[in-house]
Amino acid sequence: AVVKGGDSEHWSDVHIVASIAGGIDLEMRAFAAREAAKRDVDGFAIGGLFLGESSQQRRTILGTVLPLLPPNKPRILCGAASPVDILDGVELGVDLFESAYPHQLASAGRALVCVNDPLSTVSEPNGAVQSPLIADGETLEPLTLDLTDKRYELDPTPLVADCACYACKNHTRAYIYHLLNAEEMTGEVLLTMHNTHHFFLFLTTLRAKMDASLFTTFKDAFVRECVAKTPLVPLSKVRPAGDLDETEESKGTAKKKTKKPRLDAVKTDAENDISVNDTHEVVANSS
């Protein structure tokens, strides 16, 4: 076992983070949290999530574990946290997030296009939401775009209007559509660049709203304008880009390769993905 501040000079400045394990077993999770809280560690990493459990199970686990951890040390949520997962995590008391979400979306040929600040949108008389980030005619576009969809084959617009990332400033949806369908690695690279930039904008906006004591208003607006109308596609349904099937011809023994769709068609219950478990204490943490 590593002893913090031990005799070895190699460990004198090491920051140790305790892992909170236990899967979906609430009793084991609570035991791990209580034992970790007794240790002289610098923070806590809640792992083993985003592996197929439901969003409700995930919130229940966080609602069980977080109250058992000291609030003066960072509590880290590890996994493919989407914007909705981050909002739920912050509300429950998570301080830091480790997420591969932008890259996983890119691997599925998808661009993140959610409105990062729904409080800045303007409601029109007909109920439409005008956003400076979404191109004209796309105010109700999903939170992500599937750039392998043929409707983008000739689309001359950027992924997100007025986005300052390299991909949006220099390339069009049509070009990225071509790269993805030609299985060019550059397509995934450009999507990763855009998704990471857009994800950071969301986090920057979130921190600003928390500093202004507007977290609850911001979360409600994000859910209302961005999620309830167009739910996120679960990453459990995402297949790696370039995944191929081999199917036999109807005649003869010759085989041909056909691409699997990068994303399954999914119907989700938005309310299940965004509600917070009412049976657990909800804590807004601005650290």
Side-chain angles (χ1 to χ4, degrees):
V2 175
V3 179
K4 183 179 175 183
D7 295 335
S8 173
E9 62 180 13
H10 299 293
W11 298 107
S12 59
D13 296 324
V14 169
H15 296 283
I16 300 175
V17 176
S19 177
I20 311 299
I24 60 173
D25 188 320
L26 295 182
E27 186 175 339
M28 289 301 299
R29 286 280 185 177
F31 173 79
R34 284 191 294 266
E35 290 300 312
K38 299 176 184 177
R39 271 55 179 181
D40 182 20
V41 295
D42 298 291
F44 307 94
I46 304 171
L49 296 175
F50 303 97
L51 297 175
E53 79 282 353
S54 69
S55 57
Q56 185 60 51
Q57 285 178 309
R58 191 157 54 245
R59 285 189 290 269
T60 301
I61 290 169
L62 293 176
T64 299
V65 168
L66 290 167
L68 300 175
L69 302 176
N72 62 325
K73 294 181 179 180
R75 294 155 294 183
I76 308 164
L77 179 60
C78 304
S82 71
V84 176
D85 296 316
I86 288 176
L87 291 172
D88 278 348
V90 168
E91 194 166 35
L92 289 166
V94 176
D95 302 298
L96 300 171
F97 298 86
E98 177 274 323
S99 175
Y101 186 76
H103 175 67
Q104 287 187 308
L105 282 181
S107 296
R110 284 190 167 262
L112 189 61
V113 298
C114 58
V115 179
N116 283 320
D117 188 1
L119 298 182
S120 68
T121 60
V122 180
S123 296
E124 296 294 322
N126 62 2
V129 177
Q130 299 293 333
S131 167
L133 295 177
I134 305 299
D136 292 341
E138 295 184 348
T139 53
L140 295 181
E141 193 63 76
L143 292 181
T144 64
L145 297 182
D146 181 3
L147 268 299
T148 65
D149 193 308
K150 192 171 179 63
R151 64 176 169 158
Y152 300 115
E153 183 177 16
L154 301 175
D155 192 331
T157 63
L159 296 173
V160 173
D162 299 326
C163 177
C165 81
Y166 176 85
C168 289
K169 290 175 67 175
N170 293 277
H171 301 294
T172 65
R173 295 177 180 182
Y175 178 60
I176 296 175
Y177 166 89
H178 157 71
L179 293 174
L180 294 174
N181 284 276
E183 298 188 8
E184 287 282 354
M185 183 176 67
T186 308
E188 185 176 326
V189 171
L190 290 173
L191 284 178
T192 298
M193 294 171 71
H194 167 77
N195 289 346
T196 302
H197 174 83
H198 202 71
F199 202 56
F200 281 161
L201 285 179
F202 166 76
L203 295 173
T204 300
T205 303
L206 173 57
R207 290 184 64 88
K209 300 306 179 185
M210 292 170 68
D211 289 341
S213 300
L214 292 173
F215 171 77
T216 301
T217 304
F218 173 74
K219 180 176 185 289
D220 290 345
F222 189 90
V223 166
R224 182 179 63 253
E225 302 296 349
C226 304
V227 180
K229 296 176 182 177
T230 52
L232 284 172
V233 177
L235 282 177
S236 60
K237 301 296 183 181
V238 172
R239 292 194 180 105
D243 192 13
L244 300 177
D245 255 347
E246 287 195 351
T247 58
E248 291 191 11
E249 295 278 18
S250 57
K251 295 181 180 180
T253 59
K255 292 184 178 181
K256 66 178 181 179
K257 288 187 176 181
T258 57
K259 277 198 253 183
K260 286 182 181 178
R262 295 172 184 265
L263 209 63
D264 288 335
V266 178
K267 292 183 179 180
T268 61
D269 182 343
E271 291 185 355
N272 286 341
D273 286 341
I274 61 180
S275 62
V276 176
N277 187 349
D278 294 334
T279 64
H280 296 288
E281 181 180 2
V282 175
V283 181
N285 192 326
S286 60
S287 59

